[in-house]
Amino acid sequence: MSDFSHHPPPPDGGGADIIIGGLIRASLVDFPGRVSAVVFTQGCNFRCPFCHNPALALSRQSIDPALTLQSVLAFLEKRRGKLDGVVICGGEPTLQPGLGRFMETVRAMGYALKLDTNGARPDVLADLLGRGLLDFVAMDVKAPLENYAAAAGLAHVDTEAIARSIELIRASGVAHEFRTTVVQPLHTPEDLYAMGRLTQGAQRYVLQRFKPGDLVDPDFARIAQGFPEQALADAAEAITAAGTPCMIR
């Protein structure tokens, strides 16, 4: 089994400092072109009212104490040759001090790596990109920058950090997509076009259909609804025509 004990800790004191909140053992849909495991980290710095993973977002404590770092690494070691990718999502993975060390260990097993992020920590993103640890990045774009705090469920969001992350990913040369879960009344049709402009030049922008369920904000769950299909189709067509391939998922 490959584990952190075989490597000296990085200078920042990270390494084993990562909280695992969940594991999908095999997925055909989370990493384009690859059969992947999906590792969920615990905890998030956003409180998006439409988030459908409240158990992951609202707590910094693992929701499954039996799912340890070592058990996940042991599983990945056993699945070498059967899986070819690992997706790391959350919660928000860039909050985990041991993220880079974990990715190095998984990379050493021969896996390709995909990161799902909210883009709030561009310095972490820049470090991972600079170390060549990312084969695919998917960043959630919550809203036009002027409305970001409401979409993130916070009083304030550093939108300069969000914009920097978008630019880092767009210019990285690494396979990527930006994506927005589209939900009324939080978003308007005009917002979709604005987010298309914000991500212009990306490899792909995805409009994701909202699915009702157990949300971070129960009050929002009572009023939330998806967009009409025609409105999504019109936005996807216009964004694509402007130069950014846009799809509906």
Side-chain angles (χ1 to χ4, degrees):
M1 169 183 163
S2 175
D3 64 40
F4 289 100
S5 64
H6 297 158
H7 304 278
D12 64 3
D17 194 3
I18 182 169
I19 303 173
I20 307 295
L23 174 68
I24 296 176
R25 295 175 181 271
S27 169
L28 299 175
V29 299
D30 288 280
F31 195 153
R34 297 185 182 273
V35 181
S36 64
V38 183
V39 177
F40 296 86
T41 64
Q42 188 76 39
C44 188
N45 53 338
F46 283 2
R47 293 292 181 265
C48 307
F50 53 88
C51 175
H52 64 277
N53 278 325
L56 287 170
L58 297 178
S59 173
R60 300 284 176 143
Q61 302 294 320
S62 177
I63 57 178
D64 184 358
L67 194 62
T68 66
L69 172 65
Q70 297 304 328
S71 71
V72 170
L73 290 174
F75 166 76
L76 294 175
E77 184 70 40
K78 290 177 182 177
R79 298 299 290 173
R80 290 171 70 173
K82 298 181 176 66
L83 301 172
D84 58 358
V86 175
V87 179
I88 305 171
C89 61
E92 174 49 43
T94 63
L95 298 178
Q96 305 289 331
L99 176 63
R101 201 72 187 102
F102 175 69
M103 296 182 88
E104 285 181 342
T105 302
V106 175
R107 169 75 85 202
M109 295 181 190
Y111 288 105
L113 291 166
K114 174 176 179 274
L115 176 70
D116 290 1
T117 181
N118 63 22
R121 302 195 70 196
D123 290 345
V124 175
L125 185 58
D127 177 63
L128 297 174
L129 287 167
R131 291 157 67 183
L133 290 174
L134 300 178
D135 299 288
F136 198 108
V137 185
M139 176 177 162
D140 291 313
V141 176
K142 305 297 183 180
L145 293 181
E146 60 270 21
N147 300 331
Y148 228 86
L154 301 174
H156 172 75
V157 170
D158 182 354
T159 55
E160 290 185 3
I162 299 298
R164 184 181 169 214
S165 289
I166 290 172
E167 184 54 33
L168 280 168
I169 294 167
R170 190 164 43 196
S172 67
V174 171
H176 64 268
E177 71 178 29
F178 298 99
R179 59 198 186 188
T180 300
T181 298
V182 184
V183 55
Q184 298 183 105
L186 190 61
H187 298 118
T188 67
E190 291 74 20
D191 288 338
L192 308 191
Y193 300 115
M195 288 183 285
R197 292 190 294 272
L198 182 63
T199 58
Q200 191 163 18
Q203 291 181 358
R204 180 167 64 199
Y205 180 46
V206 180
L207 301 175
Q208 297 186 145
R209 296 179 179 91
F210 168 74
K211 296 179 180 179
D214 184 20
L215 305 182
V216 162
D217 185 345
D219 292 332
F220 186 78
R222 288 190 279 271
I223 62 172
Q225 55 183 314
F227 257 55
E229 285 296 313
Q230 190 59 53
L232 290 176
D234 289 346
E237 181 179 359
I239 292 167
T240 300
T244 303
C246 183
M247 63 177 289
I248 301 167
R249 181 183 293 154

